[in-house]
Structures are given as structure tokens and as C-alpha cells.
Amino acid sequence: MLDRYELSQEIKIVGKAIGFQEVGISLALPSFHFPFYERWLEKGYHGKMMYLKKHEPIKKDPRHLFPQAKSIISCALKYKTYSEWGDEYHVVMKKKLKELFNKIQEFAPEVKGYVCCDTAPLLEKSFAQCAGLGWIGKNTLLIHPHYGSHVFLGEILINIELERDPLLVNQCGSCQKCVEACPTKAFMAPYELDARRCISYEAPGCEVCQEVCPWNKEKNFS
Ligand code: B12
Ligand code: SF4
Ligand code: SF4
């Protein structure tokens, strides 16, 4: 029987063997970003994405999504350009998350969990930041110190307490390149995106706020 620390370590080792670039752990407690989410909705920045409004009460606390949740395992999967994977990433991500969850159950058969990615009512970037996967940049994306923002996120909520990871410091500094380069001026302020103005709102494909980011430059993605 593995103790909490050993199980947390095993989850990371197995997660990386499955193909995730990074696996981190945070506690399943309300996110400190939630008040920002509420204000963002009040300003109407979600536009026609009514599901984001509908998700508001559930996003307030991850235990509304999975009542037994004690820990959140956040996983990052790298990509080069969004068009490389498009919608297919949901399928690949979910398959890998389920594979990781099955392995966890081999170590600890009593564990129950909930796998989610993108469409689930969870503040994914916020919990990825809490799990030490990176920091939320001024372009509002989660930036990993090695892979930059070119990572998709997915999570497993589980009913046991694991060893949480330390936070990483935000390293945007005085840079504002993403905010300045956006062709539609979609950033109302750093960290604040009016989704209605974002080209990706109508059709996925714009990458400008990622292309200009120094954390995405000269990286070896192989
Ligand atoms: C709705 C949505 C969109 C909308 C709105 C984008 C947005 N930034 O909110 C649209 C359609 C425009 C969109 C576009 C894209 N998306 Co999208 N999207 C989502 C979704 C479903 C919800 C995001 C959300 O809750 N937005 C609401 C607002 C309030 O949140 P926010 O802007 O992120 O604000 C947070 C921070 O900025 C922070 N914050 C606020 N103020 C401050 C101040 C300081 C000082 C600090 C430190 C932090 C901070 O708090 C907020 C709450 O977490 C998530 C999946 C999920 N379930 O989380 C994917 C997700 C964010 N999208 C993703 C991707 C890949 C994209 C695109 C690159 C795809 C593309 N090329 O078309 C673009 C990128 C555009 C961009 N710059 O964000 C990935 C991002 C991965 C990553 N590395 O971060 C996610 C996580 C999906 C996934 N599972 O991988 N998306
Ligand atoms: S994806 Fe394009 S349009 Fe949307 S915020 Fe980034 S640069 Fe602006
Ligand atoms: S371009 Fe600069 S400000 Fe924007 S996310 Fe990257 S480092 Fe942060």
C-alpha cells in the first residue's frame, strides 16, 4: 500500500510515461480566480457562449462537479500549432486521462475519480496554475516554463488527498507583447480577454498572442 507521497510521485511518473509533458496536483477547493470569472461574465465578455454562464455555479467549487473530490490532477499535453490537432485533442486527451486513472486504480483500487477536459465546468487554467504547471500569462493562457502556452489541459478529480505541488512564479514581467499584438484588440487589459473580439471565438485558428510570446520562442518541441 502506497502512502500519500508515494502515490503522488507514482501518478506523475505514470502520467509522463503515458505521454503527458507535465502532471501536477492541487487541492479540490474553490479557485481564487473565481471572482474574476464572475466579473468577466457580468461584463458580457462570454458573448454567445451561454454555457459559460450556465457553468458559473458549478465552477465556483470543483466539488460541485464531483462531490467526493479532494485533489485535482492537472495534465499538460504539448502541441505545435492548434490546427495540428484541432478538435481531435479532446479524444487524445480523454484517452490518456482515462489510461492514467486506470493505472491509479491499480495502485489504489478504492480511488474514485472524474475525468474532464475543456468542455467540463472547471477553471482549467486556474487549477493548472495551482498545480504548479505554469502561470496564467497576460494572454490569459497557461504558460509552462519549457513548453510555453502550446499545451492542452486535462484533469482528473479524485476522492483522495494527494501531495499538492508548489506554485510557480508568474514570469510575464513587464512584457505586454500579446496585448499589443492582438489584431482585433481583444484584450481589455492584461489577463482580461473580451472573447467576442477574439478571432478564435468565431473560428479557431488565430495564434498571434501565442506567436509573439517569448515563452513560445526557440523551444525544442520534439
Ligand atoms: C471559453 C474558452 C475560450 C474562449 C474564451 C478564451 C478565454 N481566454 O477565456 C475562446 C473561444 C475565445 C477561446 C480561444 C482559445 N482557446 Co479556449 N477555452 C475556453 C474554455 C472552455 C473556458 C475558459 C474560461 O473559463 N474563460 C473565462 C475567463 C474568465 O477566463 P480567463 O480569461 O481564462 O481568465 C482567467 C485568468 O486570466 C485569470 N486572471 C484574471 N485576472 C487576472 C489577473 C492576474 C494578475 C492573474 C495572475 C490572473 C488573472 O483568472 C481567470 C479565471 O481562470 C477553456 C477550457 C476550460 N474549461 O477552462 C478553453 C481553453 C482556455 N482554451 C484553450 C485554447 C488552446 C484556446 C486557443 C489557443 C484555441 C485557438 N487557437 O483557437 C484560443 C486562445 C485565445 C486566448 N488568448 O485565450 C486551452 C488553453 C490551454 C492553455 N495553455 O492555457 C483551454 C484550457 C482548453 C484546454 N483544455 O486545453 N477559448
Ligand atoms: S487568439 Fe488572436 S484574436 Fe484572439 S486574443 Fe489572441 S491574438 Fe487576439
Ligand atoms: S507575450 Fe509577454 S505578457 Fe504576453 S503572455 Fe507572453 S510573456 Fe506574458
Side-chain angles (χ1 to χ4, degrees):
M1 174 95 173
L2 300 177
D3 67 25
R4 193 170 92 172
Y5 178 79
E6 290 166 335
L7 183 57
S8 307
Q9 292 308 310
E10 279 302 326
I11 289 171
K12 290 175 193 171
I13 293 166
V14 172
K16 287 187 179 176
I18 285 169
F20 290 118
Q21 275 60 49
E22 204 68 79
V23 178
I25 296 163
S26 63
L27 301 180
L29 293 173
S31 155
F32 61 91
H33 282 129
F34 183 74
F36 177 83
Y37 184 72
E38 282 180 306
R39 284 200 294 278
W40 188 83
L41 290 172
E42 273 166 27
K43 288 178 184 172
Y45 291 160
H46 58 295
K48 291 180 283 184
M49 296 182 290
M50 292 317 290
Y51 69 96
L52 293 173
K53 181 78 190 144
K54 215 172 96 192
H55 285 171
E56 191 179 1
I58 309 173
K59 276 183 170 169
K60 189 170 186 175
D61 188 329
R63 291 167 296 190
H64 294 162
L65 183 61
F66 180 57
Q68 299 115 294
K70 292 249 168 53
S71 310
I72 302 180
I73 304 167
S74 288
C75 302
L77 198 58
K78 74 176 163 72
Y79 67 94
K80 282 181 196 159
T81 58
Y82 186 78
S83 52
E84 177 193 21
W85 277 20
D87 289 340
E88 200 202 321
Y89 89 84
H90 293 108
V91 179
V92 178
M93 174 62 86
K94 281 225 166 123
K95 195 165 160 264
K96 286 187 187 292
L97 290 170
K98 281 183 185 153
E99 204 180 328
L100 177 56
F101 181 58
N102 290 342
K103 290 277 182 196
I104 296 171
Q105 283 192 314
E106 283 177 24
F107 294 125
E110 74 283 5
V111 169
K112 295 201 171 18
Y114 186 96
V115 163
C116 50
C117 161
D118 195 27
T119 47
L122 187 76
L123 291 171
E124 290 193 296
K125 293 176 280 185
S126 180
F127 286 106
Q129 179 173 301
C130 291
L133 260 52
W135 67 92
I136 296 176
K138 289 177 191 168
N139 62 5
T140 76
L141 295 168
L142 191 279
I143 302 178
H144 181 277
H146 180 69
Y147 298 105
S149 59
H150 287 125
V151 288
F152 293 126
L153 302 174
E155 304 76 26
I156 308 174
L157 277 59
I158 63 168
N159 65 338
I160 51 167
E161 240 178 74
L162 296 168
E163 207 61 32
R164 59 172 293 186
D165 285 296
L167 284 170
L168 288 186
V169 177
N170 183 310
Q171 296 187 57
C172 281
S174 58
C175 175
Q176 293 240 53
K177 286 188 173 155
C178 52
V179 177
E180 287 157 7
C182 173
T184 56
K185 304 273 173 265
F187 295 103
M188 298 297 103
Y191 309 101
E192 192 175 77
L193 175 67
D194 182 345
R196 297 168 300 183
R197 288 168 169 251
C198 175
I199 293 165
S200 303
Y201 171 71
E202 294 293 353
C206 181
E207 305 246 337
V208 172
C209 59
Q210 300 196 78
E211 280 162 5
V212 298
C213 180
W215 293 93
N216 287 334
K217 302 236 178 210
E218 294 161 30
K219 292 278 190 291
N220 175 15
F221 290 118
S222 58

